Amino acid sequence: MTLLTVWPDSGPDEVLVRTTDPDEIATELKEHGVRFHRWSVVDGVTAENALQAYESDIARVSETEGYSYVDAMEMTPADTDEYRAKAVEFRNKFLAEHTHDDDEDRYFARGAGVFYLHIGDKVYAVYCTAGDLLSVPANTTHWFDMGTEPDYVSVRFFHDDDGWIGNFTGSDIATKFPTFDELRAGI
């Protein structure tokens, strides 16, 4: 279930908004130029077949938003040293506050992840689940948490083929808010 939680950026002691209603989530985020949509979920999606499974939706978003490069990323839990190392590496890469010169559009075909948007004096935590498409506008300060045991397939959209390039702020704000695992436990 998708969850939006909004706090003051001073910390999570006061919850300003908490909702699982997709329409409320879309309305709240739209005020900040963030697009949120729901697509139908296709069972059995992997990084290898996601672009084909969602071909028409991907084409529509790419045409509307001008994306020229789309890929899919997958993290699937496994009881291996390789998975554990990759999980730590990938989680740490995205966990610090950063911006991008490009929009960051992600569709969750399977699993979940949390985008934390630091907009003005608030933090918007969007716990995305399968079926969610979130578009974070260029230069929006944010971070992403996939949890300690990442399990997801996401489709990523780019305006060029350079892919993901983060401009890190150096702030420690991400350490002050509930993690993916803590948010998931409270749902």
Side-chain angles (χ1 to χ4, degrees):
M1 151 182 351
T2 308
L3 171 68
L4 171 66
T5 308
V6 182
W7 302 280
D9 66 0
S10 57
D13 294 335
E14 178 187 4
V15 175
L16 303 173
V17 175
R18 182 175 168 92
T19 183
T20 58
D21 182 281
D23 293 331
E24 287 181 39
I25 293 169
T27 299
E28 185 76 29
L29 296 175
K30 185 177 182 178
E31 292 178 23
H32 305 288
V34 178
R35 293 186 324 276
F36 173 80
H37 300 284
R38 297 272 309 151
W39 293 355
S40 297
V41 176
V42 176
D43 291 334
V45 172
T46 65
E48 289 78 33
N49 67 16
L51 299 185
Q52 182 179 5
Y54 291 99
E55 185 175 13
S56 62
D57 292 311
I58 291 168
R60 185 179 62 253
V61 170
S62 294
E63 182 178 322
T64 302
E65 302 302 325
Y67 292 115
S68 60
Y69 179 69
V70 180
D71 70 8
M73 183 173 179
E74 179 174 4
M75 292 289 294
T76 301
D79 188 18
T80 65
D81 290 340
E82 178 184 354
Y83 167 77
R84 285 186 285 279
K86 187 175 176 183
V88 169
E89 175 191 352
F90 278 44
R91 182 173 188 232
N92 288 341
K93 177 179 180 180
F94 305 122
L95 204 49
E97 186 183 64
H98 60 276
T99 64
H100 303 286
D101 295 337
D102 194 1
D103 297 343
E104 183 168 0
D105 280 31
R106 297 291 178 269
Y107 172 69
F108 286 85
R110 189 191 84 216
V114 181
F115 275 92
Y116 298 82
L117 313 174
H118 186 190
I119 302 172
D121 61 354
K122 296 178 184 162
V123 171
Y124 298 74
V126 187
Y127 183 95
C128 296
T129 59
D132 291 344
L133 172 68
L134 186 72
S135 177
V136 180
N139 301 309
T140 299
T141 308
H142 67 284
W143 65 94
F144 176 73
D145 190 356
M146 61 183 73
T148 54
E149 294 183 21
D151 184 9
Y152 67 91
V153 173
S154 68
V155 175
R156 309 181 310 165
F157 296 81
F158 302 99
H159 285 108
D160 58 49
D161 59 2
D162 290 340
W164 191 94
I165 300 172
N167 306 309
F168 292 90
T169 67
S171 171
D172 68 347
I173 190 169
T175 65
K176 299 175 183 177
F177 288 87
T179 65
F180 169 93
D181 296 312
E182 291 165 331
L183 287 174
R184 180 176 59 189
I187 294 177

